[in-house]
Amino acid sequence: MNKNFLINSSLYFSVNIFVAVGSLLILPIYTSYLSPQDWGYVAIFLFFGPTIVAIVSFGLPQASYYFYFKIKDEDEYNKLQSTNFFALIIIYLITGFLIYFLSNFISLWLFNNNYPGKLLVLSYFFGCFQMLSMNI
């Protein structure tokens, strides 16, 4: 086997183990400070934004992954990437404005007004930044 492959694989594996162990170690701290309702807020925060972003993205980030090996010309691939990036920015801004102005209605409709509307907006923008950071 290739020596670089083994080194890179072991590095990737060790980072994943470190993150898993770290998450397990701070779990008692989280449970002592957060109530079950707070855990629900965290769960909705981590779920709502990325889910909405995945729906309104129309698969554009996945198109970049698909065409990475198909397009041989680097300039053509860069055009595709920049077009996808700017299209996503426009889509995210339009959807963000809608969520911002309808956040209280969304909270009332989806969560029986038990979840602050402004946290939905923050969750959405968190999902946007998460999606964009994976594709840059």
Side-chain angles (χ1 to χ4, degrees), residues 89-122:
I89 292 293
I90 292 169
I91 291 168
Y92 292 163
L93 286 174
I94 292 169
T95 308
F97 282 123
L98 288 173
I99 289 177
Y100 178 77
F101 290 114
L102 299 174
S103 61
N104 291 328
F105 175 73
I106 294 170
S107 175
L108 178 66
W109 182 59
L110 287 179
F111 308 112
N112 293 329
N113 215 18
N114 291 328
Y115 194 79
K118 298 307 177 205
L119 279 180
L120 293 177
V121 175
L122 286 175

Side-chain angles (χ1 to χ4, degrees), residues 26-50:
I26 61 174
L27 187 62
I29 297 169
Y30 284 155
T31 55
S32 66
Y33 288 110
L34 296 175
S35 69
Q37 182 179 7
D38 294 336
W39 273 109
Y41 284 168
V42 170
I44 291 172
F45 182 87
L46 293 175
F47 180 75
F48 177 80

Side-chain angles (χ1 to χ4, degrees), residues 6-105:
L6 292 175
I7 291 171
N8 291 338
S9 297
S10 65
L11 179 64
Y12 182 75
F13 181 73
S14 63
V15 167
N16 283 334
I17 294 297
F18 179 74
V19 169
V21 169
S23 299
L24 192 61
L25 290 175
I26 61 174
L27 187 62
I29 297 169
Y30 284 155
T31 55
S32 66
Y33 288 110
L34 296 175
S35 69
Q37 182 179 7
D38 294 336
W39 273 109
Y41 284 168
V42 170
I44 291 172
F45 182 87
L46 293 175
F47 180 75
F48 177 80
T51 302
I52 298 299
V53 167
I55 291 169
V56 300
S57 298
F58 302 116
L60 286 177
Q62 287 73 20
S64 296
Y65 298 141
Y66 175 78
F67 285 110
Y68 180 77
F69 294 107
K70 296 252 182 207
I71 297 177
K72 302 298 182 200
D73 184 24
E74 187 175 340
D75 288 335
E76 190 176 342
Y77 182 73
N78 288 339
K79 285 180 192 177
L80 173 75
Q81 282 291 88
S82 62
T83 302
N84 284 352
F85 178 77
F86 288 115
L88 286 174
I89 292 293
I90 292 169
I91 291 168
Y92 292 163
L93 286 174
I94 292 169
T95 308
F97 282 123
L98 288 173
I99 289 177
Y100 178 77
F101 290 114
L102 299 174
S103 61
N104 291 328
F105 175 73

